[in-house]
């Protein structure tokens, strides 16, 4: 089995890039089927979702726009519960169909912050897509419209997700070894 070593931690391959690419294509199709001729504004939550956002956009068969928000709620492998907005939005969201793109939803704290922020804007509709979702630890009531993979409460890296800054460039997803 493929493995990775990032600083002091060992990781084992968990989801191969082929499966990730298929899931991303499926999500792009699901979004297009729902939104039809609407032109979505995809908002990627940095840093983790930069690859997911790029891949969703390339798979999206229709006109679409992109923007990014930067927030952070994680230090190393445990959630601090603190979320800071670091980079704001410049777009006019009036009457826009906005799709939040998250790499991973864990407790849901980050998503709730982004959602509340965007809900204050005069958007037409607000949707949420995430590549990974951990239902066991999710603590919010928010509806998640599109989910790539529901996974157990593992700490994962790769495909944009990091351990203390490293591992984002791994094409496959790896989970922390036991
Ligand atoms: P939440 O606010 O939902 O608890 O956490 C969301 C954020 O924490 C994600 O956007 C991501 O940055 C980070 N995070 C949560 N789970 C993981 C994980 O398994 N691996 C990595 N690398 N980051 C995670
Ligand atoms: Mg994130």
């Amino acid at each position: 089995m493929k493995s990775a070593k990032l600083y002091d931690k060992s990781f084992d391959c968990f989801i191969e890039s082929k499966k990730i690419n298929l899931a991303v294509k499926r999500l792009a199709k699901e979004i297009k089927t729902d939104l039809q001729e609407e032109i979505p504004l995809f908002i990627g939550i940095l840093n983790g979702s930069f690859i997911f956002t790029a891949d969703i956009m390339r798979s999206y068969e229709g006109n679409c726009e992109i923007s990014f928000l930067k927030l952070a709620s994680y230090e190393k492998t445990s959630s601090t519960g603190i979320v800071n907005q670091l980079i704001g939005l410049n777009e006019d969201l009036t009457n826009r169909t906005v799709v939040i793109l998250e790499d991973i939803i864990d407790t849901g704290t980050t998503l709730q912050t982004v959602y509340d922020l965007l809900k204050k804007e005069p958007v037409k509709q607000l949707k949420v897509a995430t590549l990974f979702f951990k239902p066991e630890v999710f603590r919010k009531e928010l509806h998640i419209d599109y989910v790539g993979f529901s996974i157990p409460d593992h700490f994962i890296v790769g495909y944009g997700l990091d351990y203390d800054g490293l591992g984002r460039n791994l094409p496959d997803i790896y989970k922390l070894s036991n």
Side-chain angles (χ1 to χ4, degrees):
M1 200 205 292
K2 278 192 264 189
S3 62
K5 180 117 172 101
L6 305 173
Y7 296 118
D8 55 323
K9 301 267 191 273
S10 299
F11 296 82
D12 301 316
C13 192
F14 179 49
I15 304 173
E16 295 216 329
S17 62
K18 259 193 206 158
K19 272 185 84 174
I20 300 166
N21 298 340
L22 285 174
V24 171
K25 288 205 168 76
R26 170 177 56 79
L27 289 178
K29 271 216 177 82
E30 280 178 28
I31 298 170
K32 178 71 173 99
T33 302
D34 271 7
L35 301 186
Q36 309 250 344
E37 296 313 311
E38 288 285 329
I39 298 177
L41 171 63
F42 291 119
I43 298 184
I45 310 306
L46 293 172
N47 291 332
S49 66
F50 74 107
I51 294 178
F52 177 49
T53 305
D55 283 353
I56 277 283
M57 204 183 191
R58 283 188 293 188
S59 295
Y60 196 79
E61 294 180 5
N63 288 328
C64 55
E65 292 178 38
I66 192 170
S67 189
F68 288 97
L69 264 181
K70 183 159 177 161
L71 297 158
S73 75
Y74 243 67
E75 265 172 22
K76 299 207 173 163
T77 57
S78 66
S79 183
T80 60
I82 303 158
V83 180
N84 301 306
Q85 186 190 339
L86 304 173
I87 298 175
L89 271 176
N90 304 316
E91 275 78 7
D92 179 6
L93 300 184
T94 307
N95 217 22
R96 293 304 309 265
T97 290
V98 172
V99 183
I100 299 169
L101 296 181
E102 263 287 26
D103 48 353
I104 187 162
I105 297 171
D106 186 283
T107 62
T109 306
T110 308
L111 174 66
Q112 186 78 58
T113 306
V114 174
Y115 195 90
D116 292 348
L117 207 114
L118 294 174
K119 253 310 192 209
K120 286 190 200 141
E121 302 288 330
V123 296
K124 183 172 177 184
Q125 52 181 334
L126 188 54
K127 302 271 190 187
V128 178
T130 188
L131 185 54
F132 300 103
F133 177 51
K134 298 182 188 173
E136 287 165 18
V137 284
F138 186 61
R139 292 200 302 253
K140 305 289 178 185
E141 298 295 318
L142 271 178
H143 177 68
I144 303 166
D145 301 277
Y146 314 100
V147 175
F149 299 91
S150 284
I151 61 166
D153 185 20
H154 298 311
F155 182 78
I156 61 171
V157 295
Y159 195 78
L161 289 152
D162 73 306
Y163 167 56
D164 211 10
L166 296 186
R168 297 191 194 279
N169 55 325
L170 297 167
D172 305 302
I173 288 288
Y174 292 77
K175 73 177 171 76
L176 192 59
S177 309
N178 297 317

